[in-house]
Amino acid sequence: MQIISSKDNELIKHIRKLKEKKYRDLNQEYVIEGIKLIKEAIEEKAEIEQIIVCDNCLDTEVIPKDIMYEVAKYECIYVTEKVFISISDVSTPQGILAVVKRNKEDKSIDYKQDIIVVLDDIQDPGNLGTILRTVDSVGLNQIIVSKGTADCYNTKVIRSTMGAIFRVNIIECEDLEKTLKEIQENDFKVVVTSLQTKKSLYDIEFNKKAIVIGNEANGVEKKIQNMADEKIKIPMLGKTESLNASVATGVVLYEYVRQKIGQ
């Protein structure tokens, strides 16, 4: 078994460069790390290019044997601990990562679903990953993100999705206003979260709605608010006026779930 021991190996340099968005976009690849994410990728039949394993893991049996059995079906490359640490993005690596090919981007919107979640310049990778996970948890299979939204293939985003990255179609749009007008033409109402309304999220019916979640600092941009069919807010009993973007998304989407299961 050959073990890569040099940080200057071409594959190792390639994996390190995949930490840059520009390089990820150019190669249409991204990196996932950890036993759970690798297992999810295999189960969801993600297009795995290579799986990199730290040779120490074979001795310590950190990686379960059933996972190693599945890993062996792919192009599996072993590296020394020193090399693995140089490409890992976590402080306590589990000794396994993979290079995954991005799905061929399907920019067509699925209008068969009850609601469509739209993100307007969400910046925090943790928020973005948690929102993707929440979207997946309520049974939706797509999300629309503005051009100014954080990169969905950032390693922190991917970790936060807990595997949802493999199940949710991410549709990045160049012009959010234009995309929302197209959505309206397909008989969906555009709903924005706003403090400038008395209408609660509990006052609307979650059917054929596009829910726009705004930027953490500035909310939904003004031109999007102006074209919205409805504005809603989350009622609050305390002094806090707003919630974290991912928490707000969860509250809104689980009102949709409540209505759905109550039908």
Side-chain angles (χ1 to χ4, degrees), residues 181-209:
K181 283 178 180 175
E182 177 198 315
I183 289 171
Q184 286 173 322
E185 288 167 3
N186 280 271
D187 300 323
F188 273 70
K189 300 284 188 185
V190 170
V191 179
V192 301
T193 51
S194 171
L195 296 176
Q196 278 69 57
T197 182
K198 291 183 178 179
K199 183 175 280 191
S200 155
L201 83 154
Y202 305 118
D203 295 329
I204 69 165
E205 185 180 334
F206 282 82
N207 183 37
K208 297 298 178 185
K209 298 288 194 299

Side-chain angles (χ1 to χ4, degrees), residues 13-39:
K13 290 197 287 187
H14 173 69
I15 293 170
R16 275 203 300 272
K17 287 182 75 175
L18 285 172
K19 293 180 181 182
E20 304 167 16
K21 181 184 185 307
K22 184 178 179 181
Y23 196 72
R24 287 195 296 270
D25 290 345
L26 179 67
N27 288 274
Q28 292 294 290
E29 293 174 336
Y30 61 100
V31 176
I32 62 172
E33 184 169 355
I35 295 166
K36 187 179 188 305
L37 268 177
I38 301 288
K39 184 179 179 183

Side-chain angles (χ1 to χ4, degrees), residues 235-253:
M236 299 192 195
L237 301 178
K239 292 184 178 180
T240 296
E241 289 189 342
S242 62
L243 294 173
N244 168 285
S246 61
V247 174
T249 305
V251 172
V252 172
L253 291 187

